[in-house]
Amino acid sequence: MSSAERTAAPSTIRSAAGFLASRLRQIGIFIALLVIVALFQVLTDGRLLTAGNVANIIVQNSYILILAIGMVLIIIAGHIDLSVGSVAAFVGAMSGVMVVDWGWPWWAGMLASLAIGLAVGAWQGFWVAVVGIPAFIVTLAGMLVFRGLTQIVLGNTQITPFPTEYRQLGGGYLFPQLFPPSSSPVEWITVGLGAFAFVFFVGAQLRGRAKRVRLGLESEPVAWFAVKVAFGAGLILVLTYLLGVADGSRGTPVVLVVLGLLVVVYTVLANRSVFGRHVYAVGGNRHAADLSGIKSKRIDFWLFVNMGALAALAGLVFTGRLNSAGPGAGNLFELDAIAAAFIGGAAVQGGVGTVVGAITGGLIMGVLNNGMSLMGVGTDYQQFIKGMVLLVAVAFDVWNKRRTRSR
């Protein structure tokens, strides 16, 4: 090896280490998820990553993941929403009244429920954006108001059962009779969706990098880009195998398709739309955003309208999964959604966060819940451990921010 090569090698290593350190906030959450999955896979003797259990993790945490998508946008803008659990319960109760008690068609009840969610979001957005009351107070009041309305609507009783079509959203699978295990060794719908997701993901990554290189904006090393694409593609292939090929697989949950569409739509909205850039600008520095012509009050209003719609969708999913609308539904949903956003890298002061990060944070919470349940850990210890995970995640965010400022 020549002296020039010996000098270049440490320089390359230092460059790679510096790049990884600069992306510590983004990649740390994925490393944490992998470590937690590997840990519980060992502690549960391989029961965590069985086909049936992976489907259960997705279905059982779907409503929290839906809420986390809206919550991270609220937090990026510098607000908080404490009412989403109560709103989800209220919408579930109203859908029960319309579909079960009044006999409305299931699809009409669902559409009306989403409209109720939009109206609830507009109500809270009005108090925050127009009247100027802090979101913490408005949504704290909303948490009490909509919990009370839920109990009034239900009369402290449960509404059940719901039609089969209604229940499919929360606990159904895509066309389960088309490729039953008795006639086909593979669930081909899931395999087809997995292949489409694989091609879409790899193609989008390659097109995005080519565009950044063409514009002279690319700073990501080729090796790291390849590792990132391989990780995402491998995750899609493993999930496809577990849901469509492995023993005990039951196909693709309907709610997973809904979640996939939401992640794509909201990622594009946050990263590539004017509205998304304005949300980050308002959260980063509201005064500067106002001076630059951004209508921050309008941004706040539509963020809460969006949160109301997603809370309504989460309420429909939860009600469909349980096949019941009860007065205690949605308890602590808001705390799980907030925890998912912060564990996923959202900054406490606003201005920072991603939809994919919030989904990853929600999956960490879901894997922790599921893994500890498989081990027989009591709910008291589960709450303690989840609280410590949230504390460590926020402490990491604070430490990382100080480290960046000190450079």
Side-chain angles (χ1 to χ4, degrees), residues 240-251:
T240 303
Y241 171 78
L242 290 172
L243 295 180
V245 182
D247 290 340
S249 59
R250 291 172 287 178

Side-chain angles (χ1 to χ4, degrees), residues 62 164 185 210 293 325 342:
S62 54
T164 303
F342 283 131

Side-chain angles (χ1 to χ4, degrees), residues 70 72-79 121-122 124-126 128-130 135 266 269-270 273-286 288-290 292-308 351:
V72 73
L73 294 177
I74 293 279
I75 290 174
I76 289 171
H79 298 298
Q124 301 202 115
F126 167 79
V128 174
V130 179
Y266 278 92
L269 178 73
S273 72
V274 174
F275 180 81
R277 287 193 287 273
H278 286 182
V279 171
Y280 281 99
V282 169
N285 189 324
R286 180 174 292 269
D290 288 334
S292 66
I294 296 174
K295 299 184 184 303
S296 58
K297 291 184 178 179
R298 183 179 298 177
I299 297 291
D300 292 338
F301 177 80
W302 286 112
L303 281 175
F304 278 95
V305 172
N306 174 70
M307 189 72 254

